Amino acid sequence: MNLPNRMRAVLIDRPGGVEVLRVVNDWPVPVPGLEEVLIKVAAAGVNRADLMQREGVYPMPPGTPTDIPGLEISGEVAAVGAGVKRWRVGDRVCALLIGRGYAEYAVAPEVQCLPAPEGVSLVDAGGLPETYCTVWANLFERGRLADGETVLIQGGTSGIGVAAIQLAKAFGARVLATAGSERKCEACQRLGADRAINYRNEDFHAVTRSFCGNVDVILDIVGGDYIAREVDLLKREGRLVFVALAAGGLAEVDFYKVLIGHLTITGSTLRSRSVAEKGRICAELERAVWPLFVANRLSAEIDRTFPLEAAADAHRFMASSEHIGKILLTP
């Protein structure tokens, strides 16, 4: 594959609104280092973390470049660095990144690459790695969701929520999910939720209690004043797992309930993890989750695709919260 020296990429000029995103046409094509691969990008997933990075409120790990956002991509391997054993030029992959995905080419550690799942287009695969790694690490590893348990998923039509609903059902759980409109609630039920709760006109605590009593696991992206009510909804040995805190991280909670209920309150992010740990999670996805795409038990839910030049529009659309599933950028 003949590689250019320069490429198009989306830069963050400075912290701020969408106006700080700037498309450049002469950014250097990165060179893969030891045990890294260079990928010709077919699509890059847009995530809330990208918006937070743009705003300057989600700092990158020390020493990591902050100029180009983008935590997940799909595409074809264009070159391999020294020590790469598995991947070859031309392989169709998707990859988890620490950043720099909004570009025509991106570099990823070999272990953070996955084959694009059979049955999913190469473009659509760009919306899988960050979302599914996050859900797997939090809902199944930290949250220990098991067959026959009940889970409440806050934000059921976010990228995280769409993946969580499908995975929870695929692994035998009963699922409740919240969303902000009837259209979104219908989408949650189409994806497998046993009960969708419109949080704009229903109280998730009351509806959950009425529908099934208490729950084993709650996956939360909201935080804030939801936290105390979520603690109150957990069964004995229940787990409350945070993957975001859109409404803030402060709450007044009766920790006596945590004590006597043997509850676990936990959460995690992906970006701060080591390459080895991210590689382990990717390997688990390939083993346990990727076959479910082949079996048509999971689907890549893509709401809208924008060209790279319209990254600002993609950020506006995500900020509107009108999407169901993933938003992608294509070079």
Side-chain angles (χ1 to χ4, degrees), residues 48 152-158 161-162 165 176-189 195-204 221-222 226 320-325:
R48 288 279 176 188
L152 170 63
I153 297 166
Q154 303 283 20
T157 53
S158 65
V162 163
I165 290 171
L176 296 89
T178 63
S181 69
E182 291 307 311
R183 178 179 72 94
K184 288 187 173 186
C185 285
E186 289 171 4
C188 289
Q189 291 179 302
R195 176 64 158 92
I197 303 166
N198 186 339
Y199 64 79
R200 297 192 186 278
N201 55 35
E202 295 182 294
D203 179 87
F204 76 82
I221 63 172
V222 182
Y226 274 32
S320 76
S321 294
E322 290 299 314
H323 59 290
I324 295 174

Side-chain angles (χ1 to χ4, degrees), residues 10-90:
V10 178
L11 303 187
I12 299 174
D13 273 337
R14 63 190 183 281
V18 296
E19 71 280 356
V20 306
L21 296 174
R22 177 169 59 95
V23 180
V24 298
N25 296 313
D26 60 350
W27 196 258
V29 171
V31 177
L34 180 66
E35 297 179 347
E36 292 182 333
V37 300
L38 177 68
I39 298 168
K40 187 178 190 303
V41 176
V46 178
N47 292 279
R48 288 279 176 188
D50 302 341
L51 278 65
M52 296 169 66
Q53 179 182 339
R54 187 202 74 220
E55 294 164 355
V57 296
Y58 188 26
M60 299 282 279
T64 304
T66 61
D67 42 24
I68 300 173
L71 297 172
E72 59 184 348
I73 59 169
S74 60
E76 292 188 1
V77 174
V80 298
V84 170
K85 298 175 181 177
R86 178 176 183 182
W87 306 108
R88 299 289 182 268
V89 171

Side-chain angles (χ1 to χ4, degrees), residues 241-279:
V241 186
F242 295 103
V243 293
L245 294 163
L250 299 179
E252 184 174 323
V253 176
D254 181 357
F255 272 82
Y256 187 68
K257 294 178 180 178
V258 177
L259 180 68
I260 63 173
H262 294 200
L263 307 182
T264 298
I265 300 177
T266 185
S268 72
T269 62
L270 274 179
R271 191 154 66 181
S272 61
R273 295 174 186 250
S274 68
V275 169
E277 192 171 5
K278 292 176 186 176

Side-chain angles (χ1 to χ4, degrees), residues 184-240:
K184 288 187 173 186
C185 285
E186 289 171 4
C188 289
Q189 291 179 302
R190 172 179 60 81
L191 293 165
D194 298 281
R195 176 64 158 92
I197 303 166
N198 186 339
Y199 64 79
R200 297 192 186 278
N201 55 35
E202 295 182 294
D203 179 87
F204 76 82
H205 184 281
V207 171
T208 301
R209 276 275 174 82
S210 174
F211 184 76
C212 63
N214 283 16
V215 301
D216 300 283
V217 182
I218 300 174
L219 186 69
D220 188 21
I221 63 172
V222 182
D225 64 2
Y226 274 32
I227 297 174
R229 288 182 286 163
E230 289 171 335
V231 167
D232 191 56
L233 272 178
L234 289 172
K235 294 179 181 178
R236 184 177 176 85
E237 304 288 350
R239 290 83 73 195
L240 171 57

